[in-house]
Structure formats: C-alpha cells, structure tokens
Amino acid sequence: AVQLAESGGGSAEAGGSLTISCSLSGDFGADPPFDPCLGWFRQETGKQREHVAAADADGNVMIADSVKDRFTVFRENTKNTVSLQMNSLKLEDSAMYYCAVAKRSWVGYCRDVDSIDSWGRGIQVIVSS
C-alpha cells in the first residue's frame, strides 16, 4: 500500500509565495517495482477537483495552463517527494491541495483525476488580499 503525506501550505498574501510538499511511502507491490508518477490537484468548495501539476521519475513535468507561469513542480526521487512552489499567488489559488499518485510511471497519468489510485488528505492554501 502507498501513503501520501502533505506538508507546508498555510496562508499568504496575494503576490506572495508558498511551497507545499508531499512524501510518498510504501509501494504498489508491483513486480518489477517502478516509480509511480506524483501529482498535485486542488479543489475549492463546491467545485470539481482540478489538476495543478505532475511529475514522474524521469523528470517529465506537466503544469496546468492556469498556473504554469507561476508554479513550479519538482521531484526528488531519492526521497520520493514532490513539491509545488507557488509564486505570485492569486486569490483564486485558495483551495485544498491534494497530493496524488497513480499506479503508472508516465507523468500524464497523474494529471487525470480518473487515473489516480491514491490521494493525500489535503492541505489548505489560503491567499488573502
């Protein structure tokens, strides 16, 4: 089984920065073993969960168009962590952010909510004016 643990987040003023991180523990028990892709999604109350960014162990990343000029995703394979650096925060970036993992390697599977096999508990990001 896999587990995801998010950290960071909190509050920031518009225009500020925050970094959130996620640590993956365990594995899917596959033979041979593989490094799954990891991703970040966010969800505002009453809205659908949307993809923000994803990264795989080969260094491929995908970032949503709505944030690609402001957010950076990076992964440390040796630590099985994925972090999201959020700059120039906007009020509309306020949401619950969820770390996600898919039972696949390629980064594309971690940008599709229907391909996600396990979710973190979520971490709150609040941007104020």
Side-chain angles (χ1 to χ4, degrees):
V2 297
Q3 287 189 323
L4 299 167
E6 297 114 334
S7 61
S11 301
E13 292 185 348
S17 299
L18 281 173
T19 298
I20 54 178
S21 297
C22 174
S23 178
L24 169 69
S25 59
D27 58 55
F28 287 110
D31 186 16
F34 68 100
D35 291 315
C37 62
L38 293 168
W40 284 102
F41 291 74
R42 67 185 182 185
Q43 187 171 21
E44 297 178 67
T45 303
K47 295 186 178 181
Q48 289 188 333
R49 193 166 294 188
E50 64 174 2
H51 170 252
V52 179
D56 64 24
D58 291 330
N60 301 305
V61 300
M62 288 186 174
I63 303 178
D65 289 341
S66 59
V67 302
K68 64 180 181 179
D69 294 331
R70 303 183 291 117
F71 291 10
T72 303
V73 62
F74 52 96
R75 177 171 176 159
E76 291 187 69
N77 290 333
T78 56
K79 298 180 180 180
N80 266 339
T81 61
V82 62
S83 298
L84 185 68
Q85 171 72 43
M86 302 180 287
N87 298 323
S88 301
L89 285 164
K90 301 178 179 180
L91 297 179
E92 54 262 40
D93 293 322
S94 295
M96 282 291 288
Y97 284 69
Y98 296 90
C99 184
V101 62
K103 206 172 182 178
R104 302 277 186 164
S105 299
W106 181 59
V107 63
Y109 287 102
C110 281
R111 69 171 182 176
D112 177 8
V113 67
D114 292 329
S115 297
I116 298 302
D117 289 284
S118 186
W119 297 92
R121 298 179 68 177
I123 193 164
Q124 187 77 50
V125 170
I126 300 172
V127 183
S128 59
S129 58

